[in-house]
Structures are given as C-alpha cells and as structure tokens.
Amino acid sequence: MGATRERADATAPRLFEHDLDPALFTSDRLDELAREAHKRDRLGVQWADPGRQRFGNDPVYTRPRYPILDDARERPVQYRIYNVAEWGPQEYRDAKQRIIDEQAPDVDIAIVDSVVRVFAPHAVVALHGDPDLKLVCDVSGKTVWYVRPPAAMTTAEHENLLRGEFFLRWHESDEEIALPIEPGTGCFVPSRWAHWLDHPTDEPIVSFELGFWSREAVRARKVYDVNWLLRRLRAPVDPAGPGGPNDLLKHALFDGISFVTGKGSRYRGL
C-alpha cells in the first residue's frame, strides 16, 4: 500500500526495480541503434563534462567510434541515442510502455520521449535543470543522480531553463538527495528537480531513460516562458509564477506565439 502511494507522488524522487531485458542493450544492438540514429540525425556524442559545473551550455561534440562500448572504455564520452522507442524495433516501444505503466506517477501524461544513454566510466554530468519528469532505468554499470528540489533553483533559473540555460552555477545544497541506480534498478526524478550525475564504476554505463511531460508540467513551462518574455520586454510588472491569477492568459499567449512562430507546437493546446 505504501509503495502504491509512493509511486503516485509526482513531487518526490524515488528508486524502483525494473525488468528490462539486457539483450536489448548488448554491444551489437547498441551499435545498430547508434548507426540508425546517426542516419536519422538522432545521435549525440559528446565529451563528458569537466566537473559539476559546465562553463557555457553547449556540449562539446565528437564523432562516434564503433563499437561504442569500446569507445566509452577508451574516451571520456557519452552517447545519446534519441527516440529509440519511437522509431526503433517494437521491443523498445514495449519496454517504454511497460515502464510508464508500472512506474509513472499518477499524472496526466501528454508527451513521452525516450533515449538510450551510454557513458564512459566515471563520467560526470554537470548540474542542470530539466522541466520534464524522468524515469531512468540502469542496464549496466552504476549511476548516482544527485537531485535537488525545485526551490533550490532561483526564479530566474526556472524561467531560463528553456531559453538556452539548462546548466546552472555550481553551489552546495543541504537538500541534495542521492539516487544510486545499478542494473535492475531505476529512479524517478520529478519536474524541475535540478541534478548532476556521477558514474562511480570502471565499466561503461548503459541506461534507458524516459523523459515525459505531464499536462501540469507543460502548463508550468508556459507560465515560466511567458514570464521570461515579459522580463525581456521590461514589462512594468513582477510576473507571478505558476499558480498565479493570470495562468490561463499566459497559456493562451504561449499558444498564440507558438502558432505564429511555429515553435513549441508539440505543447500547443495542452
């Protein structure tokens, strides 16, 4: 009963167990997925961050080398194979749906994206925020997600997340929670919990990650984006965050701007 209530909570990070088939993530399968993703422009290969703060927001990209597991053993890199469960074989769609069905919190889910990630041993991902919710399943190696509640980010940091400033200035936090995941375990990270990652293992790390948007998270994003625009235009108001009296107006304004510019169309109307 307690586990059911815990899973239903979309505001608290937690660990869980999963039964993903490791055969979907062998060296040969990963290479097949990476090559196909490269053709589709859905492959990202970048150098690991130098530490817990990234100076600048853009990663430093490099070219893939095959087999990618061997590359991860030899270079401090990370691979992101995007949208595998959307264009890949049916087994990955089935895995995506099973993880959502079994582990997603009790929210109205609007959008789900998948990514297979391969990290070099001891690679670090610098402190950053994400506006979506995450379910991350470890397949090999070990990852520690160090997560912080939304209040640990400033209003400006929340508003800037999708304005090209995902990565945050490093600072210590007494509220940080460690979520260690190993093969057969995973973690849930709520929306806007800033986090950094460590990989304290001597073998490559493979994970299957679902980033998903609840309708509530989409609407909060719209408010923060419109507030960012109001500040940029130097409007003579201090705009309220999500939950304020003008939320519906800001949702409509976001959708209107999206219609005119063609940007953010997947969030329009949600």
Side-chain angles (χ1 to χ4, degrees):
M1 192 69 180
T4 301
R5 286 196 301 270
E6 183 181 68
R7 180 197 150 185
D9 187 356
T11 65
R14 58 181 167 84
L15 299 171
F16 60 84
E17 296 182 354
H18 69 81
D19 62 351
L20 288 181
D21 184 358
L24 296 176
F25 305 94
T26 63
S27 180
D28 288 346
R29 292 297 293 271
L30 290 172
D31 285 355
E32 290 174 7
L33 292 173
R35 291 182 190 280
E36 180 61 28
H38 200 178
K39 295 177 186 176
R40 296 170 177 263
D41 195 27
R42 304 307 298 154
L43 178 67
V45 189
Q46 65 188 72
W47 297 105
D49 288 323
R52 292 177 291 184
Q53 179 170 336
R54 180 186 292 183
F55 296 94
N57 280 277
D58 294 330
V60 180
Y61 290 105
T62 184
R63 297 181 62 83
R65 297 180 183 177
Y66 298 92
I68 65 174
L69 286 182
D70 287 349
D71 188 23
R73 291 186 183 96
E74 296 166 2
R75 298 193 297 165
V77 294
Q78 65 162 294
Y79 282 75
R80 296 172 185 260
I81 309 174
Y82 294 102
N83 303 117
V84 168
E86 287 70 58
W87 54 257
Q90 182 65 41
E91 300 100 311
Y92 299 94
R93 283 188 284 284
D94 294 342
K96 166 186 167 180
Q97 191 59 53
R98 188 167 70 255
I99 295 300
I100 288 291
D101 290 343
E102 295 177 358
Q103 299 301 338
D106 186 14
V107 295
D108 186 0
I109 297 175
I111 298 169
V112 184
D113 294 312
S114 63
V115 60
V116 173
R117 305 209 292 183
V118 178
F119 288 93
H122 306 287
V124 171
V125 179
L127 180 66
H128 64 286
D130 284 317
D132 58 351
L133 303 83
K134 296 190 182 301
L135 289 165
V136 186
C137 299
D138 189 284
V139 179
S140 67
K142 179 178 181 178
T143 303
V144 183
W145 285 66
Y146 292 94
V147 302
R148 307 173 178 194
M153 290 172 56
T154 66
T155 297
E157 286 173 333
H158 280 291
E159 292 177 1
N160 291 341
L161 271 191
L162 293 175
R163 307 270 66 84
E165 296 186 30
F166 279 102
F167 285 85
L168 308 173
R169 177 185 56 82
W170 172 259
H171 63 281
E172 301 290 343
S173 173
D174 294 335
E175 298 179 282
E176 189 170 86
I177 299 171
L179 300 173
I181 56 174
E182 300 183 76
T185 62
C187 64
F188 166 67
V189 181
S191 173
R192 295 181 179 272
W193 278 64
H195 47 274
W196 64 280
L197 280 62
D198 190 18
H199 297 91
T201 178
D202 293 329
E203 63 175 307
I205 302 90
V206 179
S207 63
F208 182 64
E209 178 179 311
L210 302 180
F212 61 101
W213 290 85
S214 65
R215 291 184 186 274
E216 181 181 4
V218 171
R219 291 165 184 164
R221 177 239 167 105
K222 292 180 180 182
V223 171
Y224 280 123
D225 279 8
V226 170
N227 287 355
W228 174 89
L229 179 61
L230 291 173
R231 294 186 199 279
R232 187 175 177 84
L233 295 175
R234 299 185 179 181
V237 294
D238 184 15
N246 296 313
D247 278 11
L248 292 179
L249 179 60
K250 292 174 183 178
H251 300 164
L253 181 57
F254 177 100
D255 288 353
I257 293 172
S258 171
F259 180 79
V260 171
T261 64
K263 297 179 180 179
S265 59
R266 71 190 317 216
Y267 309 105
R268 195 186 308 151
L270 296 177

